[in-house]
Amino acid sequence: MASKKVCIVLTSAAFLGDHATGLWLEELSTPFYQFKEAGFEVVLASPKGGPCPIDAGSMSGDFFTESGRKFVQDPEAMGALSHSVALESVDLASVDALYLAGGHGTCVDFVGNSVLKGAVESLFSAGKVVAADCHGPIGLAECVKPDGTPLVAGLACTGFSDSEEAAVGLTGAVPFLIEARFKELGAEYQAADDWNSKCCVAGNLVTGQNPQSSEACASAVVELLTASS
């Protein structure tokens, strides 16, 4: 049996306006190791390809998790992060799941991104797993189902909540609020209390609310891919 292949999509953006950001390390490191432990092949991709910036905040205090520490001390992992594949060059036919990791950088280059939109829509319509955590779901907002309706319409999903965005003081910096936009699109948006884990599974769509949801979100992907093997 061929191993499953997961493409984790990361932001290439180091700034949101004048706010220094990037990817949120836990939202990469946690799924990265869960997928590896499940025996999956993992490819790191980004809009631009090449090195992806890490939000310094995700390497401070309690935000610097055990998996994050392991990742930055792992030559293979850091090598992959330094040489991410440009998403447009990924052979989507060989990918079993697309996983959009978060970090405020996604608010820059996961929005208005036709390549990402096409990748998400292609995998989703093929019945393959599409997953996104925290700010990763911002990349789902512009996607549609094969019938042209919003991809998230009528589906249970989550993403960084409006109250969490307010708590980090970036409500005015993001292009739109994920919770508000998902509700406008007809999604059945769900959320836990701020900074608590929440993962929604709606068929082949998996979404996580925040960094604390990374383990549950990745576990759901592993479960779906294992069941389909």
Side-chain angles (χ1 to χ4, degrees), residues 175-186:
F176 54 82
L177 294 167
I178 295 171
E179 175 182 346
R181 180 60 59 88
F182 276 13
K183 288 176 177 177
E184 288 171 10
L185 294 171

Side-chain angles (χ1 to χ4, degrees), residues 110-149:
F110 280 21
V111 178
N113 186 325
S114 60
V115 174
L116 179 61
K117 181 177 185 290
V120 168
E121 293 173 350
S122 174
L123 263 75
F124 184 81
S125 64
K128 296 182 176 182
V129 176
V130 172
D133 184 28
C134 197
H135 281 90
I138 204 166
L140 305 176
E142 295 167 311
C143 299
V144 295
K145 299 185 179 83
D147 65 3
T149 59

Side-chain angles (χ1 to χ4, degrees), residues 28-60:
L28 161 60
S29 60
T30 296
F32 181 85
Y33 288 115
Q34 283 188 237
F35 297 155
K36 287 283 192 179
E37 286 162 15
F40 301 161
E41 178 184 351
V42 181
V43 174
L44 301 187
S46 64
K48 291 184 178 179
C52 298
I54 299 174
D55 189 314
S58 65
M59 294 192 292
S60 65

